[in-house]
Amino acid sequence: MSERVVTRFAPSPTGYLHIGGARTALFNWLYAKANGGKMLLRIEDTDRKRSSADAIDAILDGLRWLGLEWDGEPFYQHARAERHGEVVKKLLDKSLAYKCYAKPDELEKMRESAHAEGRSAVYDGMWRDRDPSDAPAGVDPVIRFKAPNEGETVIDDQVQGTVTVANKDLDDLIISRSDGSPTYNLAVVVDDHDMGVTHAIRGADHLTNASRQAQIYNALEWQVPIFAHVPLIHGPDGAKLSKRHGALGVEAYRALGYLPAALRNYLARLGWSHGDDEIFTTAQMIEWFDLPGIGRSPSRFDFDKLSNLNAQYIKNSGDEELAGLTRALIPELDKTQLPPNVDDEVCWQKLALAMPGLKERAKTLVDILDNGRFVFVSRPLEMDEKAGKLLDDEALRTLGALLESLETLDDWKIDTIEQAVRGFAEMANLKLGKVAQPLRAVLTGGTTSPGIFDVLLALGKDEAIARIRDQAI
RNA sequence: GCCCCCUUCGUCUAUCGGUUAGGACGCCAGGUUUUCAACCUGGAAAGAGGAGUUCGAUUCUCCUAGGGGGUGCCA
C-alpha cells in the first residue's frame, strides 16, 4: 500500500465515551499504528443543540486514559460549516442536489404510504424535478441530494464483505437543513475527504449510511474510502447495551479499578482475534491487528472476563506502581466506602509493603483497597463477628505467648517472621492454623486477609505487636 | 412493514471442505493450604433448523427461524 493510512475516530459529543466507542477508537488507533499511519479525531457536532462541552471533555479524557492518543488537533465539524456549504452549493450548481419545500404533513403522508406499499424509500421526490418557480413564498427549503434511482450501490466492506443495496431503496436524503446547516451524511463525506481519510472504521450502525455516503462521493467524483463496519457490542443479555451493564463511560471503568492496558486487551479481543491468543501487549496488538481478523457478529460484554484479564495485569504490575495507582483512584471513589486515614503517607507505604499478597487476590484496584483496608485502620481495632468468635480465652492466651517470640525479633523480614511464628507453633505443639487465625483476627479485625506473614510484615513490628497486645491476655 | 447485516460450548472466539471441532472466561470436582484468593489437575459444555453443491460439509449456495442495525431537518 503506497498510500499512507489515515483513520479517524468521529464521536458525537452527546455523552461520555461509551465502551463501543472506545473499541472503535481502539481499532482505528491500532490500524493506524499497524500501518504507520495516523488516527485523526473529529468531533461530530453539527447538531449544536445536542452537543456539549462536557461531553467533549469526557471523550478526550476517556481516550487519553485509555492511551489512545490521536494525531494533531481534534477537528470540530461545526467549525467547517462554511466548507460544507460550499460543497452543497457545488452539488446544487451541478444539479446533483435540489431544494425541497415539502411540508411536514406531506412528509408524514409519504411515510405512511411507503409503509403501506412496502417500500423502503420514503421521500417520493416531489421536488426533484420541479420548477424552482413553484417554490412557495416564505418557506426555507432543505436541500436534498439527487440520489440515483436505478442500479445499485455496492460497498466492499472490509468486515461485512460486499454489501449491495438497490438504489430504488435509497431516497433523496437531506444534506442541508432549512437553517442552512449541513447534515451528518454530507459533513462526513466532505470531512473524510478533506482530512484525507483512507479508512473509515466505525460501528455497524453506520452500514446503511455507507451506501448513501458512497453515492455522494460518486456524485462529487471523490474517491470512496475503505470501509470497515464493526459489529456492535451488546449487553450480557444480548440486548442493547444499557447503563445497567456495559454502557458505562470509560471513566466508570477507571473508577471500578480497571487498568487501561487490561481494558484495551479485553476490547481488542472482543470482536477481533489473532488465533487463540488471549493476552497481548500493546506492541503485539499493533503488530497483529488487521481488518480481516474482525468478526462479523455482534458480541456481548462480559465483566467476568474483563475482571480476569485485569487480575492478570495487576499480578504483573509492580508493587509501588499499584499502590500509586490505587492512591490516584481515591478521588474517584465513593467517600463513604473509603478506609480511614487515606491521607496518611505511612499507611500507603504499608499498602505497598502488603502488595505482593494483595495483588495476587485482586481483580481490580478497588479490591486492593478493600483487602488492604487493615493497613489503614487505627487501633484499637474493632473485631467483626467472626473474629470475635474466634478469639476465645485459649486463643488469646496463645497470642499472649506468641508475643515474646515476636518481640525478640530484631530483623522484621518476611522469612524471619515466618520462622518465628512457625517455630512458636511447633514449640507450643499447635497446628499453624491455631496460631494464624487468631493472629489474623487481632491484626485485621476480620477472618480473611492476605497471608499472615505478609500482614505482619506490612504492619511493621511496632504496630503488629501493639495490635496483638490490644487483645491478648 | 421495508432494506441491510449476523448465527460454533452460557460468554469471547479458533477452524479458512477432510480435526476425537481447539483455546479463554465462567461453572463443577479434586489437589495444595494459616483464612480468602491465587495456583495445579480433571470434567461437563457448541456448529439454529431444513434443502442443495460435493467422494466429503461447521466451512460454499438457497430457504426458514431467531438476533441486530437502519428506516430523522440525530450522529
Side-chain angles (χ1 to χ4, degrees):
Chain A
M1 190 178 301
S2 57
E3 194 181 28
R4 183 144 186 230
V5 167
V6 178
T7 67
R8 66 2 178 234
F9 177 55
S12 61
T14 51
Y16 43 54
L17 176 62
H18 60 83
I19 208 69
R23 190 186 60 170
T24 300
L26 174 66
F27 284 4
N28 276 287
W29 185 84
L30 287 172
Y31 193 74
K33 296 285 177 225
N35 293 283
K38 293 191 287 189
M39 178 183 82
L40 306 178
L41 176 64
R42 183 174 70 230
I43 305 295
E44 309 231 313
D45 54 356
T46 52
D47 187 343
R48 305 300 290 151
K49 290 186 287 280
R50 285 168 181 247
S51 305
S52 81
D54 284 351
I56 293 173
D57 287 344
I59 290 166
L60 300 190
D61 284 350
L63 288 173
R64 287 194 198 100
W65 177 71
L66 259 180
L68 305 179
E69 286 291 337
W70 55 94
D71 290 290
E73 289 299 308
F75 290 77
Y76 289 87
Q77 198 158 52
H78 86 271
R80 297 178 37 80
E82 201 176 317
R83 166 66 175 152
H84 300 144
E86 262 173 49
V87 175
V88 169
K89 183 161 186 306
K90 181 172 163 190
L91 252 11
L92 222 36
D93 289 347
K94 295 174 100 173
S95 206
L96 293 165
Y98 60 95
K99 293 177 179 174
C100 168
Y101 298 86
K103 295 192 272 293
D105 61 307
E106 291 175 319
L107 255 15
E108 188 47 41
K109 278 212 187 84
M110 289 180 208
R111 213 180 311 278
E112 279 168 23
S113 55
H115 200 280
E117 292 164 27
R119 282 184 291 109
S120 182
V122 169
Y123 183 70
D124 67 3
M126 66 182 287
W127 285 93
R128 184 173 167 118
D129 298 309
R130 200 144 152 193
D131 195 301
S133 62
D134 285 350
V139 177
D140 290 326
V142 297
I143 295 170
R144 286 184 185 269
F145 173 67
K146 199 178 275 185
N149 286 325
E150 289 172 0
E152 48 190 28
T153 297
V154 179
I155 302 290
D156 182 23
D157 192 277
Q158 296 301 294
V159 173
Q160 307 289 343
T162 304
V163 179
T164 305
V165 178
N167 287 338
K168 68 172 173 53
D169 291 327
L170 263 21
D171 60 11
D172 292 349
L173 81 162
I174 294 172
I175 55 176
S176 178
R177 300 186 182 95
S178 50
D179 67 0
S181 64
T183 59
Y184 168 73
N185 278 301
L186 186 277
V188 167
V189 169
V190 174
D191 291 347
D192 280 344
H193 171 265
D194 289 1
M195 289 159 65
V197 170
T198 59
H199 294 71
I201 303 170
R202 73 235 288 203
D205 51 337
H206 287 287
L207 192 54
T208 42
N209 287 327
S211 302
R212 326 198 72 142
Q213 289 164 15
Q215 293 182 337
I216 299 177
Y217 277 103
N218 291 337
L220 257 6
E221 297 180 318
W222 288 347
Q223 192 185 349
V224 182
I226 293 166
F227 290 117
H229 289 91
V230 183
L232 302 182
I233 299 175
H234 294 155
D237 54 0
K240 206 168 176 176
L241 223 39
S242 75
K243 285 196 183 183
R244 199 158 35 83
H245 19 256
L248 308 164
V250 293
E251 74 282 353
Y253 290 88
R254 173 172 47 181
L256 253 17
Y258 292 104
L259 266 26
L263 190 55
R264 275 201 302 272
N265 194 151
Y266 176 72
L267 250 20
R269 196 63 188 73
L270 192 64
W272 174 77
S273 62
H274 181 263
D276 280 337
D277 295 311
E278 296 286 347
I279 296 194
F280 18 72
T281 63
T282 300
Q284 285 171 317
M285 262 188 243
I286 291 169
E287 189 188 333
W288 294 336
F289 187 78
D290 59 356
L291 269 11
I294 299 175
R296 276 174 299 184
S297 54
S299 45
R300 304 184 185 198
F301 193 87
D302 183 0
F303 264 104
D304 284 331
K305 191 150 183 177
L306 203 213
S307 293
N308 175 274
L309 220 38
N310 203 52
Q312 301 197 48
Y313 274 85
I314 284 177
K315 224 165 290 181
N316 290 319
S317 298
D319 298 343
E320 295 291 341
E321 183 194 358
L322 287 170
L325 288 170
T326 305
R327 189 169 190 179
L329 203 60
I330 295 296
E332 312 291 327
L333 302 178
D334 180 2
K335 303 282 170 288
T336 62
Q337 308 279 328
L338 294 180
N341 307 314
V342 286
D343 295 322
D344 188 339
E345 195 63 39
V346 177
C347 290
W348 288 101
Q349 285 166 14
K350 287 178 180 171
L351 189 77
L353 227 43
M355 203 56 79
L358 289 170
K359 72 182 180 188
E360 73 180 22
R361 53 206 93 205
K363 289 190 188 307
T364 65
L365 295 176
V366 174
D367 287 346
I368 289 179
L369 193 64
D370 288 345
N371 298 333
R373 192 180 180 90
F374 69 89
V375 305
F376 291 96
V377 291
S378 310
R379 295 176 39 228
L381 268 56
E382 231 175 275
M383 294 296 118
D384 72 20
E385 198 183 333
K386 283 182 188 166
K389 234 170 159 176
L390 201 85
L391 294 171
D392 52 21
D393 282 1
E394 190 191 338
L396 294 175
R397 266 193 291 276
T398 302
L399 291 176
L402 171 68
L403 267 173
E404 197 185 338
S405 309
L406 293 177
E407 276 168 334
T408 54
L409 256 187
D410 299 322
D411 210 10
W412 199 254
K413 291 268 167 53
I414 193 76
D415 40 344
T416 56
I417 293 170
E418 177 163 356
Q419 261 171 34
V421 177
R422 282 192 190 278
F424 168 80
E426 214 169 297
M427 229 167 54
N429 207 15
L430 290 167
K431 286 181 72 172
L432 184 58
K434 280 288 179 191
V435 181
Q437 271 309 87
L439 190 51
R440 191 184 319 279
V442 300
L443 292 176
T444 68
T447 50
T448 67
S449 82
I452 197 64
F453 311 123
D454 290 315
V455 171
L456 283 162
L457 177 76
L459 252 19
K461 184 175 179 181
D462 293 348
E463 177 71 14
I465 284 175
R467 287 188 187 189
I468 297 169
R469 211 184 283 288
D470 285 340
Q471 310 287 339
I473 52 179

